[in-house]
Amino acid sequence: MAATWQAVQETTVGTLPLTERTKNGLATALVRIFLHLAHNDPGRIISSSAARKTLEWMALLYGFDVGGLLLEPSIQRALSNLLKSVAEYGVTSPQRLKAPVSVVWSLSFRCNLRCLHCYQNASKPSEDELSLDQQLNIIDQMGRAGISTVVLSGGEPLTNPNLKRLIERIRENEMSISIDSNGVLINKTVAGSLRHAGVTSIELSLDGVDEQSHDHFRGLGGAFRKTLDAVEECSKAGIFTTVATTATRLNYSKREELISLARSRGADRVVFFDLIPAGRGKEVKDLHLSRDELTELMCLVHEKSSPNGEVFTELPQYVIYSATGNGESTSDKSNVALSVDRFTISSFFDCAGQGNIYRKLAPYLGGCPAGRLYCNIQPNGDVTPCMFMPHYPVAGNLKEQSFEMIWEKSEVFDALRDRKALTGKCAGCRNLVVCGGCRAKAAAYLGDYLASDPTCPIQN
């Protein structure tokens, strides 16, 4: 393995020395002065070439060469959010944000597949789902809040009759759009239409390397071929294309073949999720990987990822695992690493290499992002910390409260932003700040979203 058990367990990522704290204090003071001079309008700062030069210099203090990124609208939204956050909360570790970077919106329970592991238990729409008018209003709220990216999920979002109107409204609010799909409904025409509408990123689910395994897992004959075609067509259309796999004992032995297959069809990224026993996933929880298998998976991801084809896993422990040793980094170029297309939800960074941009971000953004960097909206308007936590805990409901009120005032979110609120082995871990364990697993397995991650491959 690229990293031994002892090395991983002894690694500490993101400890802030005194010089770093001094730098954070200076950055906080400068941001507050900037916003005061700009009458609390970050847009004035971003639009000023002199101010942008100062921001670029401040970024270089932290090792970030942001350069032309500040000219991208989605990055400007993220920067505006960050400036307001630093002005109010200071530079904190982990960083507290005035608004999430992204929101995963489960639009409906409507779905054309019946996947064995579906955390939503999706099939047909429920009676209490949001109306189109309510959805459009929520998009406007997210736009005002300063969110950078909206990820449309489901169910299957491409079965939504109002998808085009929702995408148009999101673009009107200058937020970038990503879609989570099973790919079955995507052909060349659909892929082109999505790109033309402004979709810049898509995540397509692939859970096997042949028809029998994938179609069985997804509950539809012919799904394998259609999904592979969708990967190819989305890539050709110029959409940043991710192939997402739920790693289970059914496909674990084929993990390398799956990476090769996805790359052969043009995928820009392959991501491995661990099975979460929520929804129908409860019925197949025995298919979850062991701790040793999770460690092996992190090793494979570490070895296979490259600038020409990213591979990562949504395990918060991967930040720690990949930071052991000082090998080659796949993410040294900040102008690529900070691209919104790549930075949509996850903060489970590959931290290999001393110069790695993500390694420098880890003390501020690393680890489980639930309720910190992103959140989830359920079909009925419930706001939860994570898409894999569909029903518990609920931070609030958008039929009753505004998005900004829920994000800023929810006790659920407050707890997730304070790593000291975690209990058990997570609370005593030296990497608490940059990892924090998977909150969805704590909720699903133990019924307590603040408990220790019960599947952690580092802390037995």
Side-chain angles (χ1 to χ4, degrees):
M1 291 184 183
T4 65
W5 274 98
Q6 183 176 3
V8 173
Q9 290 170 331
E10 293 178 356
T11 296
T12 302
V13 185
T15 301
L16 296 180
L18 180 60
T19 53
E20 195 76 8
R21 296 173 187 170
T22 302
K23 188 165 60 180
N24 291 348
L26 174 62
T28 299
L30 286 173
V31 167
R32 287 172 176 165
I33 291 171
F34 270 21
L35 283 181
H36 176 73
L37 294 175
H39 303 286
N40 205 37
D41 181 5
R44 291 190 179 186
I45 298 174
I46 297 169
S47 63
S48 164
S49 59
R52 282 205 307 272
K53 290 291 184 183
T54 306
L55 291 173
E56 290 172 14
W57 172 79
M58 290 173 61
L60 286 173
L61 284 178
Y62 291 87
F64 307 152
D65 181 10
V66 294
L69 282 174
L70 298 185
L71 300 177
E72 296 183 12
S74 54
I75 293 294
Q76 289 182 0
R77 291 184 67 81
L79 178 59
S80 176
N81 181 17
L82 180 60
L83 290 174
K84 289 180 178 179
S85 301
V86 170
E88 179 155 344
Y89 307 118
V91 178
T92 61
S93 180
Q95 183 62 49
R96 180 165 182 152
L97 297 177
K98 289 280 291 179
V101 176
S102 61
V103 172
V104 178
W105 193 349
S106 303
L107 294 173
S108 172
F109 290 109
R110 180 190 288 108
C111 192
N112 53 338
L113 300 186
R114 190 163 180 82
C115 305
L116 293 179
H117 68 314
C118 181
Y119 55 89
Q120 287 284 82
N121 196 17
S123 56
K124 298 178 180 180
S126 60
E127 294 181 357
D128 60 348
E129 293 185 1
L130 297 166
S131 67
L132 175 59
D133 285 343
Q134 289 172 322
Q135 291 175 327
L136 295 175
N137 179 263
I138 289 168
I139 292 172
D140 293 340
Q141 290 183 45
M142 291 192 290
R144 290 193 295 270
I147 291 162
S148 296
T149 301
V150 178
V151 183
L152 301 178
S153 187
E156 172 51 54
L158 294 182
T159 64
N160 193 309
N162 299 316
L163 183 63
K164 181 179 178 181
R165 184 68 190 94
L166 295 174
I167 290 176
E168 289 173 350
R169 192 64 157 253
I170 293 169
R171 294 300 298 156
E172 289 170 8
N173 278 274
E174 299 183 326
M175 295 180 284
S176 64
I177 306 169
S178 182
I179 286 181
D180 289 349
S181 173
N182 57 49
V184 170
L185 299 177
I186 298 176
N187 54 28
K188 182 178 180 179
T189 301
V190 173
S193 296
L194 291 174
R195 184 68 186 93
H196 179 73
V199 175
T200 58
S201 176
I202 194 163
E203 185 174 282
L204 302 170
S205 300
L206 187 68
D207 292 296
V209 297
D210 54 52
E211 290 188 22
Q212 181 178 1
S213 58
H214 177 81
D215 292 355
H216 168 71
F217 199 75
R218 290 278 158 179
L220 178 70
F224 176 74
R225 176 181 51 80
K226 292 178 180 178
T227 300
L228 282 182
D229 289 345
V231 173
E232 191 167 327
E233 295 300 342
C234 288
S235 178
K236 288 179 178 178
I239 301 173
F240 185 86
T241 304
T242 297
V243 165
T245 298
T246 299
T248 69
R249 293 182 179 177
L250 295 178
N251 60 17
Y252 179 70
S253 64
K254 303 293 185 179
R255 55 197 183 279
E256 289 192 55
E257 293 179 45
L258 195 142
I259 294 172
S260 297
L261 178 61
R263 284 176 169 171
S264 72
R265 291 301 186 107
D268 298 288
R269 169 191 282 165
V270 178
V271 56
F272 289 94
F273 291 89
D274 196 16
L275 178 67
I276 306 293
R280 288 198 293 273
K282 296 177 183 178
E283 301 170 14
V284 293
K285 65 180 180 180
D286 291 342
L287 295 178
H288 72 86
L289 302 184
S290 68
R291 288 187 171 90
D292 286 348
E293 288 169 332
L294 290 176
T295 303
E296 291 172 353
L297 181 62
M298 289 191 291
C299 177
L300 175 70
V301 167
H302 184 70
E303 293 174 349
K304 293 293 184 181
S305 192
S306 73
N308 297 323
E310 297 178 343
V311 184
F312 74 88
T313 177
E314 294 238 346
L315 293 170
Q317 295 83 10
Y318 187 59
V319 171
I320 307 164
Y321 182 91
S322 62
T324 57
N326 299 315
E328 293 295 321
S329 167
T330 62
S331 309
D332 282 348
K333 294 183 178 179
S334 55
N335 63 336
V336 174
L338 295 178
S339 164
V340 170
D341 290 341
R342 287 162 169 77
F343 187 73
T344 51
I345 309 170
S346 180
S347 57
F348 307 144
F349 309 129
D350 184 331
C351 290
Q354 287 290 352
N356 190 318
I357 192 74
Y358 289 151
R359 195 165 187 164
K360 296 169 185 176
L361 282 169
Y364 309 100
L365 302 180
C368 181
R372 295 177 44 248
L373 304 182
Y374 97 103
C375 64
N376 169 246
I377 299 175
Q378 284 290 298
N380 68 347
D382 281 346
V383 178
T384 75
C386 171
M387 59 185 175
F388 294 115
M389 304 161 79
H391 306 299
Y392 164 82
V394 174
N397 186 279
L398 291 167
K399 293 177 181 177
E400 303 168 357
Q401 299 169 279
S402 71
F403 183 88
E404 289 183 86
M405 178 66 71
I406 294 172
W407 180 259
E408 293 187 10
K409 302 297 184 181
S410 166
E411 293 181 1
V412 170
F413 288 157
D414 275 346
L416 290 168
R417 293 162 192 162
D418 179 8
R419 293 285 200 230
K420 295 178 182 178
L422 303 186
T423 62
K425 291 183 178 179
C426 281
C429 181
R430 67 176 69 199
N431 290 294
L432 174 64
V433 171
V434 298
C435 175
C438 176
R439 299 297 93 219
K441 289 182 181 177
Y445 281 101
L446 303 176
D448 181 358
Y449 71 101
L450 298 177
S452 286
D453 181 344
T455 69
C456 178
I458 296 174
Q459 294 278 6
N460 288 320

